[in-house]
Amino acid sequence: MVQSDLLHDYRVHREPYYHPQGDEIELFLAAYNRRLPVMVKGPTGCGKSRFVEYMAWKLGKPLLTVACNEDMTAADLVGRWLLDADGTRWQDGMLTLAARHGGICYLDEIVEARQDSAVVIHPLTDHRRQLPLDKKGELVHAHPDFQLVISYNPGYQSVMKDLKQSTKQRFTAFRFDYPSADVEAEILVRETGIDPDLAPRLIELAQSARRLKGHGLDEGISTRLLVYAASLMADGVTAARACRMALVDPLTDDDDIRATLEHAIDALFP
Amino acid sequence: MPCSPDSPRTPSERPDIESRTEDWRQRLDCAFDPVQSIFADCLTAAREQLGWAALAAYIDTARLLCKLGRGAEPVLAFLEGWPTVCQRLGPGSLDTVLSWVRNIQRTPNGDVLGAFFQALPATAASLGSRELLATYLDLLMEVAQQSSTSIHRRHAILPSRALPELIRIAPQLLKQVNLQGLREWARQGLRQHAKNPERQADYFAMRSADSRALFQSQRQGTLLRAHERQLDFYLRALWDDPVALISYSEAFDELRRPQPYADANGLHLPDLRVDRDGVSGLDQYRLTLAHLAAHRRFTQSLAADNVSPFQRVSIECLEDARIDTLVLQRFPGLRKPLLALHPRPEEEACNPARESCIRHRMTMLSRAILDPGHGYRDPVTRKFADLFHECLARDLSDTASMAELAKEYLVASRRPSDAFAHVYFIDTEVPYRDDNRHLWHFNDLDDESEQDMAAAPPANAPVSLVHHYPEWDYVSQSYLTDWVSLYEHLHPRGRAEDIEQLLHKHAGLVKRLEHILAQLTPQDRERLRRQEDGSELDLDWAVRSWLDQRCRRDPDTRINQSFRQVRRDLAVSLLLDLSASLGDPVQGSRSAQSVLSLAQEAVALLAWAIDRLGDPFAIAGFHSNTRHEARYWHIKGFSEAWREEPRARLAALEAAYSTRMGVALRHAGHYLSGQKKEKRLLLILTDGQPADIDVSDPDYLIADARQAVLELERDGILCHCISLDPHADNYVQKIFGKRFSIIDRVERLPERLPEIFLTLTA
Ligand SMILES: Nc1ncnc2c1ncn2[C@@H]1O[C@H](COP(=O)(O)OP(=O)(O)OP(=O)(O)O)[C@@H](O)[C@H]1O
Ligand SMILES: [Mg+2]
């Protein structure tokens, strides 16, 4: 098919490793079945992006990811005119690309985008599933395979950056948290090949730090950071060094918290 | 927690608040003006914290102080500070203090009472218990006696110069040494400078080099106080059990060294830990907390009835060993410090023919359980160490199973000499363990004591409208702890429409401001042209490039434009001087308008402008009537919208009293620092230099305000002063450095204030 060629680069070819936290896989399939827009929420590094990637693979659809940031404009999503040797040429933005050819468009950290950029997704999220390209004078009707997924970390943003109600209320939501201790340990072992006896200790350390959230820490230790630490350890870096480098130093500069976590490292990894 | 046993709020005891205030005032019977003026506020605050009985004792004591002939200071300081002290040390501490007051009154040192009560809250916070307070008061008495000048070595005639210095500096010093250290240091000073009051005063004020050196030498070991925050983190993070830490001193218990313990108030730990056996003081604290936290999680209390003393000892020993084992399972890294601290009694050290070896035996068993390399040969010890581990392996890990095992052990190891009066103690104390009082309950008592461990108290203190702030004394280059009492109130309301009308009055100005605002509003976007990559095509440049291309010239590819949002990430706090001089009419102007009403207009305009921009902002007014009575009037909070309520408050401004600037800056900064913004700006509008009627040295409050500005800068808050005093340059610069604007023609304030703000934040 022509379409699949166009989005070939965006296909997920190998099965990503994803360990479900609950029944989210079935529920996502159900949402996709009805092409409902999906929002995945949760603290940083808890597996949101991995989940979406896995679902794209499972559904066999291309995944077009846009990491949103403050400088991103509506044109980055929708598209713009470019210049080339024969004059001007229209280039589709990621959102248009996905809508036109039938992919899953994943807007990562949507709140980071400015609100006026964020509203361009609105017409795609209601029953019409259309995307007007004002500058080009075209109305794109979304491909039947198209689905919109956004991620959103409710934790650290200021009031300034919260999503508009009118945006929020266009999505079904999956609320993620860090996986339970057993699941998280298994993820570490599968992802990094760390010694299965050591993984639970890393998680104990992470949970210690997570209890300090709101008491001097803005965020606890994420699964992502645990994966970093575990992979260093799997490669032979000592636990103390790996933890300091991957779990303590990135997290905080508060001396008392650092001392507490370093003590926890010493107590957990003799 | 209420600090007296009776409940502070039973309705029958607290009928009508207003009439009660007058009753209490009568009972106080104290005519000093400043006392009268703060009394109602103090009473409100005290009611929050004291039960009825404690409240009555509080008022009666204030009355007594009033009649002592030492002026208003002691009364004021007592009224302000006592509720906090009472809450920390318990109502019983009042007697301790009163008897000291009576004693000191009999010496020539009675004038020190003002300073004493001033420093008392901070001192009490450092001391932490009534017992230590008593010891501290003894020390003060000792210093008073040994440093007062006397005739014929009998009657002291001149007051001690050292005593007030000591009283003033003690709260600071007690943060660095424990009371024992302070006493040592004080005694050395008395000895070295006996009969030289001048030198003594220098020594106690820390002005002399020898005094500082001797003080340093007292600072050994790890102070609990210095690590409280970290240990709180430790409990919360590693044990998920944030419970209060309370310190006691080992130094003054001559008979018996107290052990750590847990009760309904929290975990009690020694105030100082000296490194030992290669384990730092801090790690010793952590180990004790680990042990106590594991008790709290894993120990079920037992009925103490019908348990013999020997059984008790051995049950506690095995339960402690179980707790330690559980701690080590979870945190294997603690094995090293734990075994370094746990004694390893010599197997043959105790002679069962002459002395009771029960403690010796139990400690060996505990060691054998925890340390696989114990090397003991005694078969009973070895057998029971094995039984212990079997027990745990079989999932019989609870307190009751330990009790069973302990009783068996006692039977198996019993010696006739166990009951000897002389007990062998050497190497039998495990320093990181607690006294296990939580392990036992008595069935024939009511349930309360049983709940001890479970019922951790909520750590939150009652809300009070009074805040205490330090002040900077530039002469001694140090802070006076809790020196100023600041009362915070909601400003009374006037008519919000008046503020509306002010805007109409300045319609022309409003128009002009609107113009400036339009350029600043956050929706506004900055256009970036000639971008390689942008959000849309820039037509002019595109056509030009296209032409170039047609003419076979290299086209410039920078034909896009993009827009950048100009985001304002700013919070503003506006602080208004409401001192009496603001009520004066504007000089040299024909209308009789007061400076204050001009300020109102200016603030109304400014608030309108900031509100337009959408920056969060707060407004408050301040003035003071001595350090005992600084007032902070809340006009608009950050979370309030600029509507009816705050406008009505602004409409009702009144001028009175003096200008104590530092404390107001600190308090406004306190709220501003809660705003998570990149830029935080504190604007202060004032008409004169800091002054108050209890301060004669004009430089003192200037220096304090300067210090406050520096503190705020350190916290990322910029202070900018808008002064209406044309001769302000000199002191304003001292306080605010370069950040000030002087408005020479006060009539122009309404237009200048918003302009200044806009230029500052453009
Ligand atoms: N359920 C899971 N199964 C497999 N791996 C996981 C899972 N959860 C987390 N991970 C691991 O954690 C890492 C971080 O996850 P991911 O990148 O999905 O986080 P995120 O929630 O998208 O974070 P952010 O909000 O910062 O983008 C992954 O790379 C993966 O290694
Ligand atoms: Mg992600």
Side-chain angles (χ1 to χ4, degrees), chain A residues 23-40 51-52 55 59 61 104 124-125 129 144-150 170-174:
Chain A
D23 50 5
E24 70 268 27
I25 297 181
E26 293 83 70
L27 288 177
F28 193 102
L29 291 175
Y32 185 80
N33 206 20
R34 288 282 182 162
R35 302 299 186 270
L36 299 180
V38 161
M39 149 160 60
V40 284
F51 172 57
V52 175
M55 291 313 303
L59 290 163
K61 303 291 174 233
I104 296 177
L124 272 173
T125 50
R129 288 172 49 94
D145 286 355
F146 168 76
Q147 190 195 22
L148 188 61
V149 179
I150 64 177
R170 295 181 133 78
F171 291 86
T172 58
F174 288 76

Side-chain angles (χ1 to χ4, degrees), chain B residues 6-16 20 24 47 51-53:
Chain B
D6 57 39
S7 146
R9 278 175 202 273
T10 50
S12 61
E13 283 166 343
R14 304 193 61 189
D16 175 17
R20 286 307 285 265
W24 286 118
R47 272 182 171 133
W52 194 87

Side-chain angles (χ1 to χ4, degrees), chain A residues 161-221:
Chain A
K161 279 189 173 176
D162 201 5
L163 276 188
K164 281 185 177 183
Q165 270 302 326
S166 60
T167 307
K168 278 187 194 168
Q169 297 221 4
R170 295 181 133 78
F171 291 86
T172 58
F174 288 76
R175 182 179 282 280
F176 281 72
D177 205 339
Y178 302 117
S180 66
D182 297 344
V183 173
E184 206 167 24
E186 203 183 317
I187 291 174
L188 295 192
V189 175
R190 280 283 306 265
E191 285 273 293
T192 69
I194 188 182
D195 176 351
D197 290 338
L198 292 180
R201 300 198 176 271
L202 275 176
I203 284 152
E204 178 103 43
L205 180 62
Q207 286 176 340
S208 297
R210 288 169 193 169
R211 290 186 198 112
L212 294 181
K213 180 167 174 177
H215 298 273
L217 280 188
D218 296 335
E219 279 284 355
I221 290 174

Side-chain angles (χ1 to χ4, degrees), chain B residues 8-59:
Chain B
R9 278 175 202 273
T10 50
S12 61
E13 283 166 343
R14 304 193 61 189
D16 175 17
I17 298 270
E18 276 318 305
S19 70
R20 286 307 285 265
T21 303
E22 286 320 302
D23 291 352
W24 286 118
R25 201 186 285 278
Q26 268 181 14
R27 183 159 174 170
L28 174 71
D29 183 25
C30 182
F32 292 121
D33 271 349
V35 173
Q36 285 295 329
S37 137
I38 62 155
F39 180 67
D41 290 315
C42 284
L43 189 65
T44 315
R47 272 182 171 133
E48 293 279 345
Q49 303 186 42
L50 304 179
W52 194 87
L55 191 62
Y58 164 71
I59 300 295

Side-chain angles (χ1 to χ4, degrees), chain A residues 70 73 75 80 83-85 114 135 160 201 204 208 211-212 215 254 256-257 259-260 263 266-268, chain B residues 229-230 233-234 236-238 240 283 286 330-334 533-536 549 559 565 567 677:
Chain A
E70 195 164 347
T73 59
R80 60 165 57 88
L83 208 39
D84 65 12
R114 291 182 356 228
K135 284 183 210 148
M160 297 278 293
R201 300 198 176 271
E204 178 103 43
S208 297
R211 290 186 198 112
L212 294 181
H215 298 273
D254 182 315
D256 287 334
I257 295 185
T260 303
H263 168 78
D266 292 342
L268 287 165
Chain B
R229 179 166 181 263
Q230 210 181 102
F233 282 144
Y234 175 80
R236 185 180 291 278
L238 277 76
D240 198 11
D283 277 336
R286 287 183 178 131
R330 191 144 173 246
F331 297 112
L334 296 182
D533 191 25
S535 56
E536 50 198 74
Q549 195 185 24
I559 53 159
Q565 187 129 17
R567 214 180 236 163
K677 291 283 166 191

